[in-house]
Amino acid sequence: MFSSLKVRNYRLFFMGQVVSNTGTWMQRIAQDWLVLSLTGSSAAVGITTALQFLPMLLFGLYGGVLVDRLPKRPTLLVTQTAMALTGLALAFLTLSGHVQVWHVYLAAFAVGLATVVDNPARQSFVSEMVGPGQLQNAVSLNSANFQSARLVGPAVAGLLITGVGTGWAFLLNGLSFVAPIAGLLLMRARELHVVQRTPRGKGQLREGLRYVAGRPDLIWPIVLVGFIGTFGFNFPVWLSAYADDTFHAGAGAYSLFNTLMALGSLAGALLAARRGTARLRVLIAAAIAFGALEVVAATAPSLWLFALLMVPIGIAGLTVNVTANTSVQMATDPAMRGRVMALFMMVFMGGSPLGAPLVGWVTDAYGPRIGFALGGLVSMAAATTVGLVLARLGGLRVSLGWHRGAPRVRFVPRTRTEEQLATV
């Protein structure tokens, strides 16, 4: 389960990210709660989320082109430093009592700009640290790392918000970037797996898009995570609204929801680390389960039942993320990995500027339950459609039957007669 941690460079990277990710989650919780307290609007929280991911939507592909051209470690030093400065600036404004909602919007957009390069650089740098043999394990442990921080970050943020205010969460996040920067500086360059950088040239963006468009095993998982990222992962909007409007429980409940979801996500990441391969059928099944669980949670009558449902939602959502990420990375040529992962992250994260304001409006207009259920229904529909498309491309068909007294749905190979009829 932890075999990739034997690699010294990856171990340094992993330890730095533990600290930084904890700070990042503290800032996310504090940022959402600060905007809600300043405006009283779920739509405003959605706008903040949208601004943070808008740069990925606008410039994500260009970030991938840059990452394929640039050395990854120096690039990450620059992006991590930029995000640290943004956190410290927001801390100063909040602690001095001068913060306004547009300051938070601007800080979210600045972090998004740094993420345009930082995200594909981190994603593709993993393979340079561990090599192809440990890639599946390292990607899963990265997700476990992120979700472990998600357990600690919201809990600490909740204590800080209720005890001393949101500004201290922003300050600690800014200081947390010292750890990954130190880890990058301590790495041994000679132990990295050399990847030939793409020379500067014309048409590299179009080349990356053509590469993905010609690969069904890449394009359809990316389409699926695009729908789920746009409509199914708007948890800052929904959970803050449930905590404030539905259950009237305050920041402590919001922190609890995020912590329990992180607990489920951590379990999902560790289960993914144990699996040897990333199968597309696992991706489809997890995506359908994710959407169905969101619909069930939307109808939960009590705070504690809603909170407990965050655990399986976290497991399913993380399984979708890790399985799609790993399958795309392992199927991609190393020279194309920066551009492909930029497209993956652009679609997954960049959909939030489109989905978050819409979901925020639905949540304000019709209530959190309708908004949450809508996200789950869209996720289920997208997963079912992509699953049927992949099955058809793979020469499979849906088989309905019973097994030990229960209904069972399977994909089985088409017969020759069926394939001939399908082409008519």
Side-chain angles (χ1 to χ4, degrees):
M1 186 181 292
F2 303 103
S3 58
S4 56
L5 289 176
K6 296 176 183 177
V7 180
R8 180 183 181 275
N9 284 342
Y10 180 70
R11 191 163 61 248
L12 288 168
F13 177 84
F14 184 90
M15 292 169 62
Q17 291 298 309
V18 167
V19 179
S20 177
N21 285 336
T22 301
T24 297
W25 273 109
M26 289 170 58
Q27 174 149 327
R28 285 191 180 186
I29 301 300
Q31 175 181 279
D32 295 337
W33 199 256
L34 177 60
V35 170
L36 192 64
S37 63
L38 290 172
T39 66
S41 169
S42 294
V45 178
I47 291 171
T48 308
T49 304
L51 287 171
Q52 185 158 334
F53 297 121
L54 181 62
M56 182 65 72
L57 179 64
L58 297 177
F59 313 117
L61 292 177
Y62 296 97
V65 172
L66 285 175
V67 167
D68 278 339
R69 293 176 183 171
L70 298 172
K72 308 298 186 296
R73 188 162 61 128
T75 300
L76 287 170
L77 285 169
V78 173
T79 57
Q80 296 281 294
T81 301
M83 287 191 281
L85 293 175
T86 302
L88 293 173
L90 193 56
F92 172 77
L93 289 168
T94 307
L95 291 172
S96 64
H98 294 96
V99 70
Q100 299 179 38
V101 70
W102 71 266
H103 293 143
V104 186
Y105 288 165
L106 183 61
F109 188 76
V111 170
L113 283 175
T115 303
V116 167
V117 176
D118 184 80
N119 230 312
R122 279 191 295 109
Q123 298 283 341
S124 53
F125 189 49
V126 172
S127 64
E128 294 188 23
M129 288 184 285
V130 303
Q134 295 286 356
L135 183 59
Q136 160 87 11
N137 182 259
V139 170
S140 299
L141 288 182
N142 271 358
S143 297
N145 183 330
F146 189 70
Q147 301 306 328
S148 299
R150 193 175 174 185
L151 284 171
V152 179
V156 176
L159 292 174
L160 289 172
I161 292 169
T162 56
V164 293
T166 56
W168 291 98
F170 299 139
L171 177 62
L172 291 178
N173 174 56
L175 295 176
S176 72
F177 283 95
V178 171
I181 291 171
L184 289 165
L185 292 172
L186 290 171
M187 286 183 183
R188 296 170 182 163
R190 66 181 181 274
E191 295 179 6
L192 295 173
H193 294 255
V194 178
V195 173
Q196 188 67 35
R197 296 204 302 270
T198 303
R200 185 181 182 88
K202 293 182 179 180
Q204 291 175 338
L205 181 57
R206 291 192 300 273
E207 181 187 11
L209 291 174
R210 283 196 301 268
Y211 177 81
V212 173
R215 296 282 302 276
D217 57 333
L218 297 179
I219 188 65
W220 288 110
I222 291 175
V223 168
L224 176 56
V225 298
F227 273 97
I228 291 179
T230 300
F231 298 102
F233 267 82
N234 291 288
F235 295 110
V237 176
W238 294 321
L239 299 188
S240 60
Y242 266 87
D244 194 46
D245 298 331
T246 302
F247 298 122
H248 309 289
Y254 183 45
S255 176
L256 173 66
F257 297 156
N258 280 278
T259 300
L260 289 173
M261 185 177 292
L263 184 63
S265 299
L266 175 60
L270 294 176
L271 289 172
R274 290 178 61 90
R275 287 196 297 268
T277 57
R279 297 181 181 275
L280 291 178
R281 65 187 180 190
V282 174
L283 171 62
I284 300 301
I288 293 174
F290 174 76
L293 286 165
E294 287 194 336
V295 174
V296 172
T299 64
S302 68
L303 183 150
W304 287 108
L305 179 57
F306 180 83
L308 289 174
L309 283 168
M310 293 301 103
V311 177
I313 287 175
I315 293 174
L318 198 282
T319 302
V320 171
N321 192 357
V322 169
T323 306
N325 187 312
T326 306
S327 65
V328 169
Q329 282 211 55
M330 296 185 72
T332 301
D333 187 290
M336 288 283 186
R337 192 166 283 141
R339 278 165 283 182
V340 173
M341 293 313 298
L343 177 62
F344 179 91
M345 298 309 300
M346 184 195 78
V347 170
F348 182 56
M349 299 172 60
S352 292
L354 304 176
L358 174 62
V359 167
W361 175 80
V362 171
T363 300
D364 278 342
Y366 301 101
R369 296 188 185 279
I370 298 298
F372 205 7
L374 177 64
L377 289 171
V378 172
S379 299
M380 287 177 63
T384 302
T385 302
V386 170
L388 292 173
V389 170
L390 287 172
R392 186 174 183 84
L393 291 172
L396 304 175
R397 64 176 176 84
V398 178
S399 172
L400 302 176
W402 289 83
H403 179 68
R404 296 181 179 177
R408 182 170 65 172
V409 181
R410 294 185 301 160
F411 289 105
V412 298
R414 288 174 178 267
T415 65
R416 184 179 297 275
T417 302
E418 290 174 323
E419 290 176 353
Q420 290 172 345
L421 289 173
T423 60
V424 175

